[in-house]
Amino acid sequence: MKFTVFRFDPEVDKEPRYSTYEVPVGEGTTLLEALLWIVDNADGSLSFRYACREAICGACAMFVNGKHRLACKTQVKDLRADEVVVHPLPHLPIIKDLVVDMSGFWEKYRAIRPYLIAEGLGDRELYQSHRDRQAIDEMLNCILCACCYSSCPMVWTNPGYLGPAALLKAYRFAADTRDKGGRERLKLVAGEDGVWRCHTVFNCAEACPKDINITWSIQALKRKLARAAVGLKP
């Protein structure tokens, strides 16, 4: 099968280009396996990230045939195409070929304090009921692949916007019954570059390879902020 892959090394190339490869594809061949075949048999200079091969780490997120995908999760035959065109995640700085600079993404993720705040509870167990756990099950499936971040037009046009992934994680902790940082964390997402920057375009939900409705979580944060603004419990 024909594979057309985006190539660009900012240190040596003046313009991006495409390289084309003929890759043998069988039943069950994943996109990641096809890219590894290219490295092993056709062009060892091709650069891309991968790690777990089980759709858990999010490292192999790419833009394939016009859609955000995980290379390890995508079977080539499921694309139902005569040609596979592979790009890096759009709207992120390119380090080399399919490898993008994720530093801005991680900076915004750290800004929402993405960890359980449980001060003052001592050493006793933090009990969480099955029902309370179910309320955040979907958000816990986020693997921080940045597909949502790459797909969001508000991220493209507003460099300070926290972005869908950070806001999803902010809701994940705000809705966690064990977390004691609710109001503090809400302040972090209440500003001009927080939840109100979301225009509910739903690109993030469509791009998510784990089928998480990220837009719903952002709207839930807005409801919490509105309740807090009129003196109600968020």
Side-chain angles (χ1 to χ4, degrees):
M1 180 176 284
K2 181 180 178 182
F3 278 69
T4 300
V5 183
F6 178 93
R7 308 297 303 274
F8 183 54
D9 184 348
E11 294 186 356
V12 297
D13 296 331
K14 291 183 179 179
E15 299 289 341
R17 56 189 169 84
Y18 290 90
S19 295
T20 301
Y21 310 94
E22 287 292 332
V23 181
V25 172
E27 194 70 37
T29 299
T30 65
L31 174 62
L32 177 60
E33 290 171 334
L35 292 174
L36 289 171
W37 186 94
I38 293 172
V39 171
D40 291 339
N41 300 280
D43 187 348
S45 69
L46 177 62
S47 297
F48 53 92
R49 288 193 181 105
Y50 72 99
C52 73
R53 303 186 184 210
E54 296 182 353
I56 294 174
C57 72
C60 64
M62 301 173 185
F63 195 69
V64 183
N65 283 15
K67 185 175 180 179
H68 291 81
R69 302 177 189 273
L70 297 178
C72 68
K73 184 182 177 183
T74 302
Q75 294 197 9
V76 174
K77 287 197 171 181
D78 288 344
L79 296 175
R80 303 184 185 282
D82 295 328
E83 179 182 8
V84 179
V85 182
V86 187
H87 288 92
L89 288 178
H91 303 285
L92 293 178
I94 295 171
I95 295 176
K96 185 176 182 293
D97 299 335
L98 305 177
V99 180
V100 294
D101 183 355
M102 298 277 284
S103 56
F105 174 82
W106 293 119
E107 181 182 342
K108 293 171 182 175
Y109 176 62
R110 286 192 294 270
I112 57 97
R113 302 185 67 184
Y115 44 82
L116 201 67
I117 298 174
E119 290 95 340
L121 291 179
D123 297 329
R124 65 184 173 84
E125 181 183 12
L126 293 176
Y127 174 75
Q128 185 177 49
S129 70
H130 180 65
R131 183 176 181 178
D132 290 342
R133 174 62 166 73
Q134 281 185 316
I136 56 173
D137 269 355
E138 181 176 290
M139 301 79 193
L140 289 168
N141 287 334
C142 173
I143 57 174
L144 298 169
C145 63
C147 284
C148 60
Y149 185 81
S150 165
S151 74
C152 176
M154 293 301 104
V155 171
W156 308 342
T157 54
N158 299 274
Y161 176 46
L162 287 170
L167 294 175
L168 174 81
K169 289 295 183 179
Y171 178 75
R172 171 257 178 274
F173 287 104
D176 192 319
T177 52
R178 302 166 300 173
D179 188 79
K180 302 302 178 186
R183 290 185 181 276
E184 178 186 351
R185 192 172 283 107
L186 284 178
K187 289 180 182 177
L188 297 174
V189 303
E192 183 178 352
D193 291 324
V195 293
W196 306 112
R197 184 66 68 186
C198 171
H199 289 195
T200 58
V201 177
F202 283 90
N203 276 16
C204 55
E206 184 174 340
C208 179
K210 306 297 280 188
D211 298 324
I212 302 171
N213 188 344
I214 302 165
T215 311
W216 185 93
S217 291
I218 298 175
Q219 304 318 302
L221 278 176
K222 290 179 180 178
R223 288 193 293 272
K224 284 180 172 292
L225 284 166
R227 289 178 60 84
V230 296
L232 298 174
K233 182 181 179 182

